[in-house]
Amino acid sequence: MTGQINAFEMAQRQFDGVAKLLNLDPQIAEVLRWPMREYSFRIPVRMDDGSLRVFQGYRVQHNDARGPNKGGIRFHPSETFDTVRALATWMTWKCAVADIPLGGGKGGVVVDPSTLSTTEKERLCRGWVQVMWKNIGPRLDVPAPDVGTTAQMMGWMMDEYSKLVGEYTPGVFTGKPLGGGGSEGRTEATGFGVIYTVREAMKFLNIDPKNSVAAIEGFGNVAQYAAIGFTEMLGGKVACVSCWDRNDKTSYTYSHKDGVNPRFLLTITDQYGTIDKKKALDAGYILEEGDKWIEKEANVLIPAAIEGHVNADTVKKISKSVKIVAEGANGPCTPEADEYFKANGIFNIPDFLCNAGGVTTSYFESVQNDMNFYWTKEEVLQKLDTKMTQAFQAVLDMSLKEKVYMRDAAYMVAIDRVVKAMQLRGWV
Ligand code: GLU
């Protein structure tokens, strides 16, 4: 967890607030406040120099009433059990709001993957599966990529699982590489999904996308495709992106007088989302400190990096012209930031609605794995657009009907669906 904000306390606080609004039976609420199963384990890995290093790993399965647990595995140096708990909880709500038949899970390893060689990464990925394989599976728990993990890593993990169970089992991990059981459109899915919800919010608020400007935090997978979608699908301008520079161990904001060109930036960005500073400067980009993105003149803010960066301190710096905050990351805005949005009439597209495109396409991937028949990219993205638009509409309708803020409305839609599944199964 970054900073002082405990993500799990935040997830529980958000849930408690809505449980009250929904008049949820306190005994049922108690079931949902906590993950159903949690794993904390050590993974010994032989390093390239012959030494043995032990890594801390986690997997949390929050709730599987609607279907197998689903959610990514993060490789992050400041990963904690509580961060993974929070993220697993949010996955339950995310799958429910997207109306896909899956529950919530999340995993993690305390590691900075950029410090490992390719072979060390492969051994760590295989080691994670060697510990967890009995507790995951296509009908049990299906992990996927997240911060610090890639399609290649999912390929290794799927391979290790298949070897251990003795048969090819592509549906155990999603976000796999194309040609290795992956789905067309999975790479673009989360970022494009963010933009489908922004498009719907703009329709509702009567905002012209072509005259819109976005300030984006991050330049990892979600931010990259959100930036591409914002310029190419909506015709808007991206004022800036930011990125963690792993050489300088600090983050920078990159802007350009004509707006940033995400396709160009992609060509000079490494697999961990670090932009080549020199090449960017040569191309006329302006470099500022990492937290400057939040102050840029824009009407759409897309935090697509890590939890808690839009908080009591930073939220006051956002430009007066901001009308929409679209949460590409998981948990980027704290409850204090929410209060500021409410007081200033800023429309929020909450994380587990806004970034549900990734897991929705993961669901499509597992469906294709089961059928052993694969769709085209156009088919996948069309289905994704339909799902995201329906999810946005369901939350907006709830928000208007109950006169509640979008985050509360998303929780109401999600909790209602999960509780219904638990009741139908006779759990509560
Ligand atoms: N890690 C992504 C998320 O937080 C995707 C999860 C998945 O595809 O299962 O939504």
Side-chain angles (χ1 to χ4, degrees), residues 45 73 75 113 116-130 133 136 143-145 148-165 168-170 172-178 180-182 271-272 365:
V45 175
I73 301 177
F75 280 11
L116 302 180
S117 72
T118 305
T119 45
E120 288 167 344
K121 265 187 291 199
E122 178 172 350
R123 286 194 288 271
L124 177 57
C125 287
R126 291 186 186 275
W128 194 97
V129 178
Q130 283 156 15
W133 71 280
I136 59 171
T149 46
T150 60
Q152 171 63 78
M153 295 183 188
M154 296 306 117
W156 290 325
M157 288 174 146
M158 180 277 280
D159 180 70
E160 190 63 25
Y161 181 89
S162 296
K163 281 181 179 151
L164 287 163
V165 298
Y168 176 57
T169 316
V172 63
F173 284 89
T174 59
K176 300 180 293 296
L178 271 179
Q271 58 172 315
Y272 304 103
E365 181 175 330

Short mmCIF file of all heavy atoms in Angstrom, two decimals, residues 45 73 75 113 116-130 133 136 143-145 148-165 168-170 172-178 180-182 271-272 365:
data_model
loop_
_atom_site.label_atom_id
_atom_site.label_comp_id
_atom_site.label_asym_id
_atom_site.label_seq_id
_atom_site.Cartn_x
_atom_site.Cartn_y
_atom_site.Cartn_z
N VAL A 45 12.77 -19.09 -4.62
CA VAL A 45 13.14 -19.04 -6.04
C VAL A 45 14.66 -19.06 -6.17
O VAL A 45 15.37 -18.30 -5.48
CB VAL A 45 12.58 -17.75 -6.71
CG1 VAL A 45 13.07 -17.63 -8.15
CG2 VAL A 45 11.06 -17.75 -6.67
N ILE A 73 -3.13 -10.80 -10.42
CA ILE A 73 -2.01 -10.98 -9.49
C ILE A 73 -1.09 -9.79 -9.69
O ILE A 73 -0.67 -9.51 -10.82
CB ILE A 73 -1.22 -12.28 -9.79
CG1 ILE A 73 -2.14 -13.50 -9.70
CG2 ILE A 73 -0.04 -12.41 -8.81
CD1 ILE A 73 -1.44 -14.81 -10.06
N PHE A 75 2.50 -7.81 -8.97
CA PHE A 75 3.88 -7.89 -8.49
C PHE A 75 4.25 -6.46 -8.13
O PHE A 75 4.44 -5.62 -9.03
CB PHE A 75 4.81 -8.42 -9.60
CG PHE A 75 4.78 -9.92 -9.78
CD1 PHE A 75 3.82 -10.71 -9.17
CD2 PHE A 75 5.75 -10.55 -10.55
CE1 PHE A 75 3.80 -12.10 -9.33
CE2 PHE A 75 5.74 -11.95 -10.72
CZ PHE A 75 4.76 -12.71 -10.12
N PRO A 113 9.19 -6.27 -10.14
CA PRO A 113 9.55 -7.22 -11.21
C PRO A 113 10.67 -6.70 -12.11
O PRO A 113 11.36 -7.51 -12.75
CB PRO A 113 8.24 -7.39 -11.99
CG PRO A 113 7.40 -6.22 -11.64
CD PRO A 113 7.81 -5.79 -10.27
N LEU A 116 14.13 -8.25 -11.65
CA LEU A 116 14.36 -9.67 -11.91
C LEU A 116 14.71 -9.89 -13.39
O LEU A 116 14.20 -9.17 -14.26
CB LEU A 116 13.11 -10.49 -11.60
CG LEU A 116 12.53 -10.43 -10.19
CD1 LEU A 116 11.29 -11.32 -10.09
CD2 LEU A 116 13.57 -10.85 -9.14
N SER A 117 15.52 -10.89 -13.66
CA SER A 117 15.78 -11.27 -15.06
C SER A 117 14.56 -12.05 -15.57
O SER A 117 13.70 -12.46 -14.77
CB SER A 117 17.03 -12.15 -15.13
OG SER A 117 16.72 -13.43 -14.59
N THR A 118 14.51 -12.28 -16.87
CA THR A 118 13.38 -13.01 -17.44
C THR A 118 13.28 -14.42 -16.84
O THR A 118 12.18 -14.88 -16.50
CB THR A 118 13.55 -13.11 -18.97
OG1 THR A 118 13.71 -11.78 -19.46
CG2 THR A 118 12.36 -13.75 -19.64
N THR A 119 14.40 -15.08 -16.68
CA THR A 119 14.36 -16.45 -16.15
C THR A 119 13.95 -16.45 -14.68
O THR A 119 13.24 -17.35 -14.22
CB THR A 119 15.73 -17.14 -16.33
OG1 THR A 119 16.75 -16.22 -15.92
CG2 THR A 119 15.97 -17.56 -17.75
N GLU A 120 14.38 -15.44 -13.92
CA GLU A 120 13.96 -15.35 -12.51
C GLU A 120 12.46 -15.10 -12.42
O GLU A 120 11.76 -15.69 -11.58
CB GLU A 120 14.74 -14.24 -11.80
CG GLU A 120 16.20 -14.61 -11.56
CD GLU A 120 17.08 -13.42 -11.16
OE1 GLU A 120 16.66 -12.25 -11.33
OE2 GLU A 120 18.19 -13.66 -10.68
N LYS A 121 11.96 -14.25 -13.31
CA LYS A 121 10.51 -13.97 -13.32
C LYS A 121 9.73 -15.25 -13.62
O LYS A 121 8.73 -15.54 -12.99
CB LYS A 121 10.19 -12.92 -14.39
CG LYS A 121 10.15 -11.51 -13.81
CD LYS A 121 9.68 -10.50 -14.81
CE LYS A 121 10.67 -10.28 -15.90
NZ LYS A 121 10.55 -9.07 -16.66
N GLU A 122 10.25 -16.01 -14.59
CA GLU A 122 9.55 -17.25 -14.95
C GLU A 122 9.52 -18.20 -13.76
O GLU A 122 8.49 -18.79 -13.44
CB GLU A 122 10.22 -17.92 -16.17
CG GLU A 122 9.54 -19.22 -16.52
CD GLU A 122 10.02 -19.86 -17.82
OE1 GLU A 122 10.76 -19.20 -18.57
OE2 GLU A 122 9.63 -21.02 -18.08
N ARG A 123 10.65 -18.32 -13.05
CA ARG A 123 10.68 -19.24 -11.90
C ARG A 123 9.75 -18.76 -10.78
O ARG A 123 9.11 -19.56 -10.11
CB ARG A 123 12.12 -19.43 -11.42
CG ARG A 123 12.95 -20.31 -12.36
CD ARG A 123 14.25 -20.78 -11.72
NE ARG A 123 15.21 -19.71 -11.57
CZ ARG A 123 16.12 -19.35 -12.49
NH1 ARG A 123 16.19 -20.00 -13.64
NH2 ARG A 123 16.97 -18.37 -12.27
N LEU A 124 9.68 -17.43 -10.61
CA LEU A 124 8.79 -16.89 -9.58
C LEU A 124 7.32 -17.18 -9.94
O LEU A 124 6.52 -17.58 -9.09
CB LEU A 124 9.03 -15.38 -9.42
CG LEU A 124 8.14 -14.63 -8.43
CD1 LEU A 124 8.21 -15.24 -7.04
CD2 LEU A 124 8.52 -13.14 -8.37
N CYS A 125 6.98 -16.97 -11.21
CA CYS A 125 5.60 -17.24 -11.66
C CYS A 125 5.25 -18.71 -11.47
O CYS A 125 4.19 -19.06 -10.95
CB CYS A 125 5.44 -16.89 -13.14
SG CYS A 125 5.42 -15.12 -13.43
N ARG A 126 6.16 -19.58 -11.89
CA ARG A 126 5.91 -21.02 -11.74
C ARG A 126 5.84 -21.39 -10.25
O ARG A 126 5.02 -22.23 -9.84
CB ARG A 126 6.99 -21.84 -12.47
CG ARG A 126 6.89 -21.71 -13.98
CD ARG A 126 7.87 -22.62 -14.70
NE ARG A 126 7.86 -22.37 -16.13
CZ ARG A 126 6.99 -22.93 -17.00
NH1 ARG A 126 6.07 -23.76 -16.57
NH2 ARG A 126 7.04 -22.63 -18.28
N GLY A 127 6.67 -20.74 -9.43
CA GLY A 127 6.67 -21.00 -7.99
C GLY A 127 5.33 -20.61 -7.36
O GLY A 127 4.81 -21.32 -6.48
N TRP A 128 4.77 -19.51 -7.80
CA TRP A 128 3.46 -19.06 -7.28
C TRP A 128 2.41 -20.15 -7.53
O TRP A 128 1.63 -20.50 -6.65
CB TRP A 128 3.05 -17.75 -7.98
CG TRP A 128 1.92 -16.99 -7.34
CD1 TRP A 128 2.03 -15.95 -6.47
CD2 TRP A 128 0.51 -17.22 -7.51
NE1 TRP A 128 0.78 -15.51 -6.09
CE2 TRP A 128 -0.17 -16.28 -6.71
CE3 TRP A 128 -0.25 -18.13 -8.25
CZ2 TRP A 128 -1.56 -16.20 -6.64
CZ3 TRP A 128 -1.65 -18.07 -8.17
CH2 TRP A 128 -2.29 -17.12 -7.37
N VAL A 129 2.45 -20.71 -8.74
CA VAL A 129 1.47 -21.74 -9.11
C VAL A 129 1.74 -23.03 -8.33
O VAL A 129 0.80 -23.71 -7.89
CB VAL A 129 1.49 -22.00 -10.63
CG1 VAL A 129 0.52 -23.11 -11.01
CG2 VAL A 129 1.16 -20.72 -11.38
N GLN A 130 3.02 -23.36 -8.13
CA GLN A 130 3.33 -24.60 -7.39
C GLN A 130 2.74 -24.56 -5.98
O GLN A 130 2.34 -25.58 -5.44
CB GLN A 130 4.84 -24.83 -7.36
CG GLN A 130 5.37 -25.37 -8.69
CD GLN A 130 6.84 -25.06 -8.91
OE1 GLN A 130 7.56 -24.71 -7.98
NE2 GLN A 130 7.29 -25.18 -10.15
N TRP A 133 -1.70 -24.14 -6.75
CA TRP A 133 -2.48 -24.80 -7.80
C TRP A 133 -3.70 -25.57 -7.32
O TRP A 133 -4.71 -25.63 -7.99
CB TRP A 133 -1.59 -25.68 -8.68
CG TRP A 133 -1.06 -26.93 -8.04
CD1 TRP A 133 0.00 -27.02 -7.19
CD2 TRP A 133 -1.57 -28.27 -8.19
NE1 TRP A 133 0.20 -28.32 -6.81
CE2 TRP A 133 -0.75 -29.10 -7.42
CE3 TRP A 133 -2.62 -28.82 -8.92
CZ2 TRP A 133 -0.97 -30.48 -7.33
CZ3 TRP A 133 -2.83 -30.20 -8.83
CH2 TRP A 133 -2.01 -31.01 -8.04
N ILE A 136 -6.71 -23.02 -7.05
CA ILE A 136 -7.19 -22.25 -8.20
C ILE A 136 -7.68 -23.23 -9.27
O ILE A 136 -7.47 -24.43 -9.13
CB ILE A 136 -6.09 -21.33 -8.79
CG1 ILE A 136 -4.87 -22.14 -9.24
CG2 ILE A 136 -5.68 -20.25 -7.80
CD1 ILE A 136 -3.84 -21.35 -10.03
N PRO A 143 -6.94 -16.43 -11.91
CA PRO A 143 -6.15 -15.20 -11.85
C PRO A 143 -5.88 -14.61 -13.25
O PRO A 143 -6.13 -15.25 -14.28
CB PRO A 143 -4.85 -15.63 -11.19
CG PRO A 143 -5.13 -16.96 -10.55
CD PRO A 143 -6.17 -17.60 -11.43
N ALA A 144 -5.32 -13.39 -13.25
CA ALA A 144 -5.10 -12.63 -14.50
C ALA A 144 -3.98 -11.62 -14.23
O ALA A 144 -3.51 -11.51 -13.10
CB ALA A 144 -6.39 -11.91 -14.87
N PRO A 145 -3.57 -10.86 -15.25
CA PRO A 145 -2.53 -9.85 -14.98
C PRO A 145 -3.09 -8.64 -14.23
O PRO A 145 -4.28 -8.39 -14.22
CB PRO A 145 -2.09 -9.41 -16.39
CG PRO A 145 -2.89 -10.17 -17.36
CD PRO A 145 -3.97 -10.90 -16.65
N GLY A 148 2.29 -4.84 -12.69
CA GLY A 148 3.56 -5.56 -12.59
C GLY A 148 3.56 -6.95 -13.19
O GLY A 148 4.59 -7.62 -13.18
N THR A 149 2.42 -7.42 -13.70
CA THR A 149 2.41 -8.74 -14.34
C THR A 149 1.95 -8.60 -15.80
O THR A 149 1.25 -7.65 -16.14
CB THR A 149 1.50 -9.74 -13.58
OG1 THR A 149 0.26 -9.10 -13.28
CG2 THR A 149 2.15 -10.21 -12.31
N THR A 150 2.35 -9.56 -16.63
CA THR A 150 2.14 -9.43 -18.07
C THR A 150 1.49 -10.69 -18.65
O THR A 150 1.38 -11.72 -17.97
CB THR A 150 3.49 -9.26 -18.78
OG1 THR A 150 4.28 -10.44 -18.51
CG2 THR A 150 4.25 -8.04 -18.31
N ALA A 151 1.13 -10.60 -19.94
CA ALA A 151 0.55 -11.74 -20.64
C ALA A 151 1.53 -12.93 -20.64
O ALA A 151 1.14 -14.07 -20.41
CB ALA A 151 0.22 -11.33 -22.08
N GLN A 152 2.81 -12.63 -20.87
CA GLN A 152 3.81 -13.70 -20.88
C GLN A 152 3.81 -14.47 -19.54
O GLN A 152 3.89 -15.69 -19.50
CB GLN A 152 5.20 -13.11 -21.16
CG GLN A 152 6.34 -14.09 -21.00
CD GLN A 152 6.28 -15.27 -21.96
OE1 GLN A 152 6.62 -15.13 -23.13
NE2 GLN A 152 5.83 -16.43 -21.48
N MET A 153 3.71 -13.70 -18.45
CA MET A 153 3.70 -14.35 -17.12
C MET A 153 2.48 -15.26 -16.97
O MET A 153 2.56 -16.34 -16.39
CB MET A 153 3.72 -13.30 -16.01
CG MET A 153 4.99 -12.47 -15.98
SD MET A 153 4.92 -11.32 -14.59
CE MET A 153 6.37 -10.34 -14.88
N MET A 154 1.33 -14.80 -17.51
CA MET A 154 0.12 -15.65 -17.43
C MET A 154 0.32 -16.93 -18.24
O MET A 154 -0.16 -17.99 -17.88
CB MET A 154 -1.11 -14.88 -17.95
CG MET A 154 -1.46 -13.66 -17.12
SD MET A 154 -1.69 -14.04 -15.37
CE MET A 154 -0.36 -13.08 -14.63
N GLY A 155 1.04 -16.80 -19.36
CA GLY A 155 1.34 -17.97 -20.19
C GLY A 155 2.15 -19.00 -19.40
O GLY A 155 1.84 -20.20 -19.41
N TRP A 156 3.18 -18.54 -18.69
CA TRP A 156 4.01 -19.46 -17.88
C TRP A 156 3.17 -20.10 -16.78
O TRP A 156 3.29 -21.29 -16.49
CB TRP A 156 5.17 -18.70 -17.22
CG TRP A 156 6.23 -18.22 -18.14
CD1 TRP A 156 6.68 -18.83 -19.27
CD2 TRP A 156 6.99 -17.00 -18.01
NE1 TRP A 156 7.67 -18.08 -19.85
CE2 TRP A 156 7.90 -16.95 -19.10
CE3 TRP A 156 7.01 -15.95 -17.09
CZ2 TRP A 156 8.79 -15.90 -19.29
CZ3 TRP A 156 7.90 -14.91 -17.26
CH2 TRP A 156 8.78 -14.88 -18.35
N MET A 157 2.33 -19.26 -16.14
CA MET A 157 1.54 -19.77 -15.01
C MET A 157 0.54 -20.82 -15.49
O MET A 157 0.35 -21.86 -14.85
CB MET A 157 0.85 -18.61 -14.29
CG MET A 157 1.84 -17.75 -13.49
SD MET A 157 1.02 -16.31 -12.78
CE MET A 157 1.90 -16.12 -11.25
N MET A 158 -0.11 -20.56 -16.64
CA MET A 158 -1.06 -21.53 -17.20
C MET A 158 -0.33 -22.83 -17.53
O MET A 158 -0.82 -23.93 -17.28
CB MET A 158 -1.71 -20.92 -18.44
CG MET A 158 -2.72 -21.80 -19.13
SD MET A 158 -1.99 -22.98 -20.27
CE MET A 158 -1.69 -21.95 -21.69
N ASP A 159 0.89 -22.69 -18.08
CA ASP A 159 1.67 -23.88 -18.45
C ASP A 159 2.00 -24.70 -17.20
O ASP A 159 1.88 -25.93 -17.20
CB ASP A 159 2.96 -23.44 -19.16
CG ASP A 159 3.80 -24.63 -19.55
OD1 ASP A 159 3.37 -25.35 -20.47
OD2 ASP A 159 4.85 -24.88 -18.92
N GLU A 160 2.41 -24.02 -16.13
CA GLU A 160 2.77 -24.73 -14.90
C GLU A 160 1.56 -25.47 -14.34
O GLU A 160 1.65 -26.63 -13.94
CB GLU A 160 3.31 -23.72 -13.86
CG GLU A 160 3.95 -24.35 -12.64
CD GLU A 160 5.20 -25.17 -12.97
OE1 GLU A 160 5.84 -24.91 -14.00
OE2 GLU A 160 5.51 -26.09 -12.19
N TYR A 161 0.42 -24.80 -14.34
CA TYR A 161 -0.80 -25.43 -13.82
C TYR A 161 -1.16 -26.65 -14.67
O TYR A 161 -1.48 -27.72 -14.16
CB TYR A 161 -1.96 -24.41 -13.82
CG TYR A 161 -3.25 -24.97 -13.29
CD1 TYR A 161 -3.55 -24.91 -11.93
CD2 TYR A 161 -4.18 -25.58 -14.14
CE1 TYR A 161 -4.73 -25.44 -11.43
CE2 TYR A 161 -5.37 -26.11 -13.65
CZ TYR A 161 -5.63 -26.03 -12.30
OH TYR A 161 -6.80 -26.54 -11.81
N SER A 162 -1.08 -26.47 -16.02
CA SER A 162 -1.43 -27.58 -16.92
C SER A 162 -0.53 -28.78 -16.67
O SER A 162 -0.99 -29.93 -16.69
CB SER A 162 -1.32 -27.13 -18.39
OG SER A 162 -2.25 -26.11 -18.66
N LYS A 163 0.76 -28.52 -16.43
CA LYS A 163 1.68 -29.63 -16.14
C LYS A 163 1.30 -30.33 -14.84
O LYS A 163 1.32 -31.55 -14.75
CB LYS A 163 3.12 -29.10 -16.03
CG LYS A 163 3.75 -28.86 -17.38
CD LYS A 163 5.17 -28.35 -17.21
CE LYS A 163 5.82 -28.13 -18.54
NZ LYS A 163 6.82 -27.06 -18.49
N LEU A 164 0.97 -29.53 -13.83
CA LEU A 164 0.67 -30.12 -12.52
C LEU A 164 -0.61 -30.94 -12.55
O LEU A 164 -0.69 -31.99 -11.92
CB LEU A 164 0.58 -29.01 -11.46
CG LEU A 164 1.94 -28.40 -11.08
CD1 LEU A 164 1.78 -27.07 -10.36
CD2 LEU A 164 2.74 -29.36 -10.21
N VAL A 165 -1.63 -30.48 -13.30
CA VAL A 165 -2.88 -31.26 -13.32
C VAL A 165 -2.85 -32.32 -14.41
O VAL A 165 -3.72 -33.18 -14.46
CB VAL A 165 -4.15 -30.37 -13.47
CG1 VAL A 165 -4.31 -29.43 -12.30
CG2 VAL A 165 -4.14 -29.60 -14.78
N TYR A 168 -3.90 -29.84 -20.61
CA TYR A 168 -3.94 -28.44 -21.05
C TYR A 168 -5.19 -27.77 -20.50
O TYR A 168 -6.31 -28.22 -20.76
CB TYR A 168 -3.94 -28.41 -22.60
CG TYR A 168 -4.06 -27.03 -23.20
CD1 TYR A 168 -3.16 -26.01 -22.89
CD2 TYR A 168 -5.08 -26.75 -24.12
CE1 TYR A 168 -3.26 -24.76 -23.47
CE2 TYR A 168 -5.19 -25.49 -24.70
CZ TYR A 168 -4.28 -24.50 -24.37
OH TYR A 168 -4.40 -23.26 -24.94
N THR A 169 -4.99 -26.73 -19.69
CA THR A 169 -6.12 -26.07 -19.02
C THR A 169 -6.02 -24.55 -19.22
O THR A 169 -5.64 -23.83 -18.30
CB THR A 169 -6.11 -26.41 -17.50
OG1 THR A 169 -5.85 -27.82 -17.34
CG2 THR A 169 -7.41 -26.07 -16.83
N PRO A 170 -6.35 -24.07 -20.42
CA PRO A 170 -6.14 -22.64 -20.67
C PRO A 170 -7.00 -21.74 -19.79
O PRO A 170 -6.59 -20.62 -19.46
CB PRO A 170 -6.50 -22.48 -22.16
CG PRO A 170 -7.38 -23.64 -22.48
CD PRO A 170 -6.92 -24.76 -21.60
N VAL A 172 -7.56 -21.54 -16.76
CA VAL A 172 -7.18 -21.30 -15.36
C VAL A 172 -6.59 -19.91 -15.15
O VAL A 172 -6.63 -19.37 -14.05
CB VAL A 172 -6.20 -22.39 -14.87
CG1 VAL A 172 -4.90 -22.37 -15.65
CG2 VAL A 172 -5.91 -22.24 -13.38
N PHE A 173 -6.02 -19.33 -16.21
CA PHE A 173 -5.52 -17.94 -16.15
C PHE A 173 -6.07 -17.21 -17.36
O PHE A 173 -6.19 -17.81 -18.44
CB PHE A 173 -3.98 -17.89 -16.22
CG PHE A 173 -3.31 -18.28 -14.93
CD1 PHE A 173 -2.99 -19.60 -14.67
CD2 PHE A 173 -3.02 -17.33 -13.96
CE1 PHE A 173 -2.39 -19.97 -13.47
CE2 PHE A 173 -2.42 -17.69 -12.76
CZ PHE A 173 -2.10 -19.02 -12.52
N THR A 174 -6.38 -15.93 -17.21
CA THR A 174 -6.75 -15.14 -18.38
C THR A 174 -5.71 -14.04 -18.57
O THR A 174 -4.83 -13.87 -17.72
CB THR A 174 -8.16 -14.55 -18.26
OG1 THR A 174 -8.18 -13.73 -17.09
CG2 THR A 174 -9.22 -15.63 -18.19
N GLY A 175 -5.86 -13.32 -19.68
CA GLY A 175 -4.85 -12.30 -20.00
C GLY A 175 -3.60 -12.96 -20.55
O GLY A 175 -2.50 -12.43 -20.45
N LYS A 176 -3.78 -14.16 -21.13
CA LYS A 176 -2.64 -14.89 -21.70
C LYS A 176 -2.26 -14.27 -23.05
O LYS A 176 -3.05 -13.53 -23.64
CB LYS A 176 -3.04 -16.37 -21.90
CG LYS A 176 -3.45 -17.08 -20.60
CD LYS A 176 -3.83 -18.53 -20.82
CE LYS A 176 -5.08 -18.76 -21.62
NZ LYS A 176 -6.33 -18.27 -21.03
N PRO A 177 -1.06 -14.63 -23.56
CA PRO A 177 -0.66 -14.03 -24.84
C PRO A 177 -1.52 -14.56 -26.00
O PRO A 177 -2.01 -15.69 -25.93
CB PRO A 177 0.79 -14.50 -25.01
CG PRO A 177 1.15 -15.28 -23.80
CD PRO A 177 -0.07 -15.54 -22.99
N LEU A 178 -1.62 -13.75 -27.03
CA LEU A 178 -2.34 -14.18 -28.24
C LEU A 178 -1.58 -15.35 -28.84
O LEU A 178 -0.35 -15.32 -28.92
CB LEU A 178 -2.36 -13.04 -29.25
CG LEU A 178 -3.54 -12.09 -29.16
CD1 LEU A 178 -3.40 -11.00 -30.20
CD2 LEU A 178 -4.86 -12.83 -29.31
N GLY A 180 -1.41 -18.13 -27.45
CA GLY A 180 -1.14 -19.02 -26.30
C GLY A 180 -2.39 -19.10 -25.45
O GLY A 180 -2.30 -19.16 -24.22
N GLY A 181 -3.56 -19.06 -26.08
CA GLY A 181 -4.83 -19.16 -25.35
C GLY A 181 -5.44 -17.81 -24.99
O GLY A 181 -6.48 -17.75 -24.35
N GLY A 182 -4.79 -16.72 -25.41
CA GLY A 182 -5.31 -15.39 -25.08
C GLY A 182 -6.42 -14.96 -26.03
O GLY A 182 -6.65 -15.60 -27.06
N GLN A 271 8.40 -2.20 -21.03
CA GLN A 271 7.29 -3.07 -20.60
C GLN A 271 6.77 -2.73 -19.20
O GLN A 271 5.72 -3.22 -18.80
CB GLN A 271 7.73 -4.54 -20.65
CG GLN A 271 8.94 -4.82 -19.80
CD GLN A 271 9.25 -6.31 -19.71
OE1 GLN A 271 8.38 -7.13 -19.51
NE2 GLN A 271 10.52 -6.65 -19.88
N TYR A 272 7.50 -1.90 -18.44
CA TYR A 272 7.03 -1.53 -17.10
C TYR A 272 6.37 -0.15 -17.09
O TYR A 272 6.06 0.40 -16.05
CB TYR A 272 8.19 -1.56 -16.09
CG TYR A 272 8.86 -2.91 -16.08
CD1 TYR A 272 10.08 -3.11 -16.71
CD2 TYR A 272 8.24 -4.00 -15.48
CE1 TYR A 272 10.68 -4.36 -16.74
CE2 TYR A 272 8.82 -5.26 -15.51
CZ TYR A 272 10.04 -5.44 -16.13
OH TYR A 272 10.62 -6.67 -16.17
N GLU A 365 -12.48 -14.28 -22.62
CA GLU A 365 -11.35 -15.18 -22.90
C GLU A 365 -11.65 -16.59 -22.37
O GLU A 365 -11.43 -17.58 -23.06
CB GLU A 365 -10.06 -14.63 -22.27
CG GLU A 365 -8.83 -15.50 -22.52
CD GLU A 365 -7.54 -14.86 -21.98
OE1 GLU A 365 -7.44 -13.62 -21.94
OE2 GLU A 365 -6.64 -15.62 -21.59
#
